[in-house]
Amino acid sequence: MRLVEFWCIFIIIILANILEPGKAEVYIVTVEGEPIISYTGGIDGFEATAVESDEKIDTTRTSCSELVTSYARHLEKRHDMLLEMLFDAGTYTKLYSYRHLINGFAVHLSPEQAETLRHAPGVKSVVRDWKVKRLTTHTPQFLGLPTGVWPTGGGYDRAGENIVIGFVDSGIYPHHPSFVTYNTEPYGPLPTYRGKCEVDPETKRSFCNGKIIGAQHFAQAAIAAGAFNPIVDFASPLDGDGHGSHTASIAAGRNGIPVRMHGHEFGKASGMAPRARIAVYKALYRLFGGFIADVVAAIDQAVHDGVDILSLSVGPNSPPATTKTTYLNPFDATLLGAVKAGVFVAQAAGNGGPFPKTLVSYSPWIASVAAAIDDRRYKNHLTLGDGKILAGIGLSPSTHFNQSYTLVAANDVVLDSSVMKYNPTDCQRPELLNKNLIKGNILLCGYSFNFVVGSASIKKVSETAKSLGAAGFVLCVETVSPGAKFDPVPVGIPGIVIADVSKSKELIDYYKISTPRDWTGRVKSFKGTGKIGDGLMPILHKSAPQVALFSARGPNIKDFNFQEADLLKPDILAPGSLIWGAWSLNGTDEPNYIGK
């Protein structure tokens, strides 16, 4: 080590011991020196073969594997030495060493220590960790896969053979039919992939089964930040959210899996590459999303393990505040390294639409994917006693054919006026309503603000109606915020959402006219009637493909001030709305599907 470099470090050590430490946080540090993917040898007597751009590292070759292992240890040792020279033991915690795609590490220390690191020789950048958020039966036919792509790959039972897709997401529910291996041709070993399989701490069984070829979880940054709860987040690859299982099944789920809910079969689902292998790198969690430090560690490991494709349904909560361009940060630099390693990277564009500059996938070197609608719709209708037919949304069975039912509004059958603070009109609490007046009738409910920001769900409306013996339910939307979307939710009893505000007004007007009241406003008798149609069958429209309302839009932005960058994004459009796919029994990502 040169004398001047030693002197600089000596001064920094003194300053580090003088400064009063603040609250510790996680920082991602990049240092000088090439990572494995671009290293060409020549430092400290170490030599390694050069890796050509866009050429995947063949870690199965003995010579290459030994070089990779040696250089990885060399980099990690340098990371440890830097921290040990600057700080006293016990004043910091190194969480990860990044060696394959970027040269750096994640460390939990005080802001003052981070500032010391920032000025240390050989340190390129110090960035405070930031958070990320988690961003099908007919889809293969819509995309033309059965007659186009699948036959060229040997048919649906061969499409995706020997391809490993790495999913950096919320984990997987391995027991779902989309991922099990019974009644399938056995999956043989795949020497090109060397990822490991964690064991479920509860059952002591591996998460892997041949179809699932790798399963690991990354939570060191979440733990250091105090956000991780092992009881609900699961310290394993098990999916506690639902999102990871869903995306894995869409890309690589088995073909011909029956989709059944509430006793009705909606068809048979398939992944787009049904024979592909699934490698799970859990870095997202149900309550808080995730942290970049964990995501970078997951990507670094996935590329080292030998995945062919990286699927990232994850994006930053906001643009990085400390870089001059959105894609010059440790996360996007890691993605560049993955591409240089020969891995195809696809990242979700984000769900911030329909407004412009909402994109959260900034990298020029990866495929940013916007969400499209396909040509399948689930529509339903409510027929009133005066003959009017009101269009709505409802994945539900119909009421009995040719039979009309009395309409009863929830706010007219409240048991106790003192419970109005619970907003009984949204039909989330059956104990607030008079079962004797609702039984056998259609329950009218109101779409409150609790559906937007609270825990209210259509599933709970359905459960309330069923527990009270209602023949069905109607959810009226009287006001709607810009950009709101209403997706059909499968329910077991007749039900419909009147999402059009003008149609809801027609229903309310009809109910008022046909419901006589006394001078106090109390209902004397319920006279309005209606019947709910069958919403279980899809209708195919020719309007697709169109960008989904929620899908993020470009253009790409240059920096935190949302200045436009000279880069068009997203790159491609793919179906991403109303997709049938797997879910986790532990899933909480969507209140309408908890426990499904």
Side-chain angles (χ1 to χ4, degrees):
M1 183 178 292
R2 295 190 304 271
L3 179 61
V4 64
E5 187 174 298
F6 176 81
W7 180 250
C8 290
I9 292 178
F10 179 72
I11 296 298
I12 291 170
I13 292 173
I14 294 175
L15 291 173
N17 290 324
I18 293 175
L19 292 173
E20 182 72 22
K23 182 182 178 182
E25 297 182 271
V26 176
Y27 292 85
I28 301 175
V29 182
T30 55
V31 298
E32 292 178 356
E34 296 298 331
I36 290 170
I37 186 56
S38 55
Y39 183 67
T40 57
I43 185 171
D44 292 346
F46 187 91
E47 293 186 1
T49 55
V51 179
E52 297 294 332
S53 179
D54 300 328
E55 178 186 344
K56 192 172 181 180
I57 302 175
D58 184 3
T59 55
T60 61
R61 291 192 354 243
T62 302
S63 59
C64 184
S65 177
E66 291 174 353
L67 287 169
V68 166
T69 301
S70 295
Y71 189 55
R73 289 173 180 166
H74 168 78
L75 292 180
E76 185 164 3
K77 184 178 179 181
R78 292 294 296 267
H79 302 161
D80 293 338
M81 286 176 59
L82 176 61
L83 289 168
E84 289 168 2
M85 285 191 298
L86 289 177
F87 310 118
D88 293 333
T91 64
Y92 66 90
T93 303
K94 193 189 74 171
L95 307 178
Y96 301 106
S97 271
Y98 307 127
R99 302 158 298 179
H100 302 96
L101 307 179
I102 61 172
N103 181 12
F105 53 89
V107 60
H108 188 231
L109 39 64
S110 70
E112 291 78 14
Q113 289 174 307
E115 192 63 25
T116 299
L117 259 177
R118 189 171 283 114
H119 294 93
V123 173
K124 295 169 65 176
S125 71
V126 178
V127 180
R128 188 174 64 182
D129 194 14
W130 67 106
K131 296 188 72 173
V132 293
K133 55 191 172 185
R134 49 197 180 276
L135 296 152
T136 151
T137 61
H138 175 64
T139 307
Q141 286 74 20
F142 175 68
L143 294 176
L145 300 182
T147 58
V149 176
W150 285 353
T152 65
Y156 74 84
D157 56 342
R158 282 281 179 266
E161 187 76 68
N162 295 332
I163 297 296
V164 180
I165 306 177
F167 295 90
V168 179
D169 214 302
S170 64
I172 199 162
Y173 187 71
H175 313 297
H176 192 278
S178 291
F179 311 125
V180 297
T181 55
Y182 57 79
N183 296 331
T184 65
E185 183 177 336
Y187 286 92
L190 201 59
T192 56
Y193 180 78
R194 64 174 192 178
K196 67 178 183 179
C197 293
E198 292 184 20
V199 174
D200 189 328
E202 296 293 328
T203 65
K204 308 303 180 185
R205 296 175 59 184
S206 171
F207 277 85
C208 295
N209 57 8
K211 173 68 171 175
I212 303 172
I213 197 172
Q216 303 174 54
H217 84 286
F218 301 81
Q220 293 302 313
I223 293 170
F228 185 82
N229 183 340
I231 297 176
V232 296
D233 294 318
F234 302 115
S236 76
L238 184 64
D239 188 359
D241 179 90
H243 191 271
S245 302
H246 192 62
T247 55
S249 70
I250 292 170
R254 289 177 52 200
N255 181 270
I257 303 302
V259 178
R260 298 190 183 100
M261 290 193 75
H262 306 295
H264 181 80
E265 185 170 311
F266 292 90
K268 289 182 169 58
S270 173
M272 303 302 102
R275 188 67 179 173
R277 311 291 187 98
I278 294 170
V280 177
Y281 297 87
K282 177 179 172 181
L284 301 181
Y285 298 87
R286 64 165 71 173
L287 297 178
F288 57 88
F291 293 88
I292 288 289
D294 290 330
V295 172
V296 169
I299 296 170
D300 193 66
Q301 187 65 49
V303 175
H304 170 262
D305 291 344
V307 301
D308 300 292
I309 298 169
L310 263 178
S311 173
L312 302 173
S313 291
V314 53
N317 285 9
S318 61
T322 56
T323 56
K324 293 182 179 179
T325 58
T326 51
Y327 49 83
L328 293 182
N329 61 76
F331 173 65
D332 289 272
T334 300
L335 298 183
L336 176 59
V339 173
K340 290 174 66 177
V343 176
F344 179 82
V345 180
Q347 183 184 18
N351 298 331
F355 309 107
K357 299 185 183 182
T358 50
L359 190 80
V360 295
S361 178
Y362 309 119
S363 295
W365 32 81
I366 67 169
S368 302
V369 185
I373 60 172
D374 65 12
D375 58 354
R376 179 182 55 198
R377 307 285 187 277
Y378 288 97
K379 295 182 178 293
N380 207 342
H381 62 275
L382 172 69
T383 304
L384 300 178
D386 62 2
K388 284 186 179 179
I389 299 177
L390 305 180
I393 301 169
L395 253 170
S396 79
S398 65
T399 50
H400 288 302
F401 187 67
N402 284 336
Q403 180 177 346
S404 292
Y405 297 82
T406 302
L407 302 176
V408 177
N411 59 344
D412 284 328
V413 291
V414 177
L415 287 173
D416 187 345
S417 60
S418 66
V419 300
M420 291 302 288
K421 62 181 180 179
Y422 294 113
N423 195 13
T425 58
D426 62 14
C427 299
Q428 301 293 293
R429 299 168 63 97
E431 68 273 15
L432 305 182
L433 306 176
N434 190 328
K435 183 174 183 177
N436 295 329
L437 295 176
I438 295 171
K439 188 175 181 179
N441 300 322
I442 292 178
L443 178 63
L444 299 185
C445 307
Y447 183 83
S448 69
F449 195 58
N450 198 24
F451 283 87
V452 181
V453 298
S455 60
S457 67
I458 296 172
K459 177 188 175 186
K460 286 185 180 178
V461 175
S462 171
E463 292 172 347
T464 294
K466 184 177 181 179
S467 68
L468 296 173
F473 70 88
V474 179
L475 189 63
C476 300
V477 180
E478 295 184 71
T479 58
V480 59
S481 57
K485 66 185 183 77
F486 298 92
D487 291 335
V489 175
V491 292
I493 67 172
I496 186 171
V497 179
I498 308 298
D500 187 309
V501 173
S502 63
K503 299 296 183 185
S504 287
K505 187 176 184 305
E506 289 184 43
L507 170 58
I508 293 169
D509 288 343
Y510 167 75
Y511 180 78
K512 287 180 178 178
I513 293 171
S514 57
T515 306
R517 301 173 184 270
D518 61 21
W519 65 274
T520 67
R522 187 184 299 271
V523 174
K524 297 199 300 187
S525 60
F526 297 97
K527 300 290 187 181
T529 61
K531 55 185 177 180
I532 299 171
D534 187 348
L536 295 175
M537 295 301 295
I539 301 169
L540 300 183
H541 282 255
K542 302 257 184 212
S543 57
Q546 293 179 1
V547 180
L549 185 70
F550 64 85
S551 183
R553 267 70 166 174
N556 204 353
I557 55 175
K558 184 187 298 182
D559 54 26
F560 192 75
N561 296 319
F562 288 85
Q563 297 182 56
E564 293 182 10
D566 188 17
L567 180 67
L568 291 178
K569 286 272 183 177
D571 300 293
I572 194 170
L573 189 69
S577 176
L578 303 184
I579 306 297
W580 289 107
W583 200 248
S584 170
L585 289 179
N586 309 300
T588 60
D589 180 57
E590 168 55 60
N592 285 310
Y593 298 97
I594 292 176
K596 298 298 183 186

